[in-house]
Amino acid sequence: MSRSSAIEGDAPDGKYLYGIIEAADDAQFETPGIGTGAPVHTLRCGRLAAVVSDAPRIDYPNSRRNMLAHTRVIEEVMARHTLLPVCFGTVASDAEAVVEKILRPRRDELLERLGLMQDRVELGLKATWHEDVVFEEVLAENPAIRKLRDSLVGRPAEKTHFDRVRLGEQIGQALERKRLEDEQRILDRLRSFVHMTKLNKPIGDRMVLNAAFLVEAAQERALDQAVRAMDADWSARLGFKYVGPVPPYNFVTITIHW
């Protein structure tokens, strides 16, 4: 059953899934579930357990309220267990479907992924140039670009259209070369503290790095210190946004197709 959005008062006729954990006993959680605020609990099959709550079988919009409800449950579970997060909005028809279509047939895969995440955390790092600084670097390092830029000063745009397009292309190429160099320089500083790295697409022209790191919990403090050291060394030209631990969506998100 599917509808376009959650409607208050819908019957909690399904099981909303938050994640998969390994658990020897049944567990209850304090954070209220999505939708109706039903109790969050586990459904077990041997060593595996799905973290669920009773909820309407509807399509859940990515509203702030729904995303916060989902995230708060995930955060509480992560504080107590190694977790494989399930994609937002995943709802099973009933408890039997959770066991027979997820936990039992995917047992070996899920246990292997839980083993990968054991005693590891995901941390995220974004690095962004200070715009004026990096543009001046491009001009200083590329005399041809500076000369072309200077030749356009004061000339009407309609008569210099193609030169301006060429200038934009050259600046873009120079920035991409510089971005790759800076990305590699950052990764080199952090490589020894990281188990796995996922590079996501940079957002906008100023972003140098958009990375997720899977890190041994014992190395988290060392990575924190390395990021602080980079910020101190490069703060004149780079800004850093460092977050975590967060659910390991970049490494082990579980997608379920009913």
Side-chain angles (χ1 to χ4, degrees):
M1 183 175 106
S2 176
R3 279 175 287 175
S4 60
S5 62
I7 300 173
E8 190 172 351
D10 281 334
D13 54 352
K15 296 290 184 181
Y16 185 97
L17 281 84
Y18 303 92
I20 308 296
I21 62 174
E22 189 171 1
D25 300 301
D26 295 332
Q28 300 276 342
F29 299 92
E30 295 181 1
T31 306
I34 196 170
T36 60
V40 177
H41 60 282
T42 54
L43 292 174
R44 287 196 308 117
C45 179
R47 294 161 51 196
L48 283 175
V51 179
V52 304
S53 64
D54 293 342
R57 293 166 56 195
I58 55 178
D59 290 336
Y60 287 82
N62 294 332
S63 66
R64 183 175 184 274
R65 178 181 179 181
N66 286 339
M67 294 301 292
L68 278 175
H70 181 97
T71 300
R72 285 169 179 160
V73 172
I74 293 287
E75 289 173 347
E76 182 186 352
V77 177
M78 282 180 60
R80 294 165 52 181
H81 300 272
T82 298
L83 172 76
L84 304 180
V86 172
C87 291
F88 172 84
T90 302
V91 190
S93 58
D94 53 29
E96 183 180 5
V98 174
V99 173
E100 297 301 331
K101 296 186 178 182
I102 305 170
L103 300 182
R104 199 181 304 281
R106 299 177 67 174
R107 175 184 180 278
D108 293 343
E109 170 205 348
L110 296 173
L111 287 173
E112 180 181 0
R113 293 191 180 195
L114 282 165
L116 172 67
M117 290 305 304
Q118 184 70 38
D119 297 322
R120 295 186 174 120
V121 296
E122 179 176 322
L123 301 165
L125 181 66
K126 293 181 173 66
T128 306
W129 282 314
H130 301 317
E131 187 171 10
D132 293 343
V133 173
V134 73
F135 184 66
E136 288 302 320
E137 288 179 3
V138 167
L139 293 179
E141 295 166 5
N142 298 271
I145 292 177
R146 177 182 286 276
K147 182 178 179 180
L148 179 58
R149 192 282 306 264
D150 292 346
S151 73
L152 298 174
V153 175
R155 297 172 61 191
E158 64 272 12
K159 293 184 178 181
T160 57
H161 172 74
F162 293 108
D163 284 339
R164 291 178 187 276
V165 170
R166 182 157 59 94
L167 176 63
E169 291 174 346
Q170 291 181 8
I171 290 174
Q173 292 166 2
L175 285 172
E176 180 59 13
R177 290 193 297 270
K178 184 174 285 290
R179 188 195 70 77
L180 291 172
E181 292 170 359
D182 283 346
E183 177 186 82
Q184 193 59 52
R185 190 175 294 116
I186 294 168
L187 294 176
D188 286 345
R189 287 277 290 262
L190 304 179
R191 196 177 312 281
S192 61
F193 310 112
V194 173
H195 177 71
M196 290 177 65
T197 300
K198 171 73 179 299
L199 295 178
N200 296 308
K201 185 177 180 180
I203 303 169
D205 295 335
R206 293 172 50 223
M207 185 173 287
V208 175
L209 177 77
N210 184 9
F213 303 119
L214 189 61
V215 180
E216 305 285 348
Q219 290 279 28
E220 184 179 351
R221 183 182 296 272
L223 183 65
D224 292 349
Q225 293 172 346
V227 172
R228 291 194 190 99
M230 283 195 308
D231 185 46
D233 292 345
W234 299 334
S235 60
R237 61 189 302 274
L238 284 169
F240 293 94
K241 183 178 180 180
Y242 181 53
V243 298
V246 296
Y249 287 112
N250 281 282
F251 298 98
V252 291
T253 302
I254 304 299
T255 302
I256 297 167
H257 302 287
W258 305 113

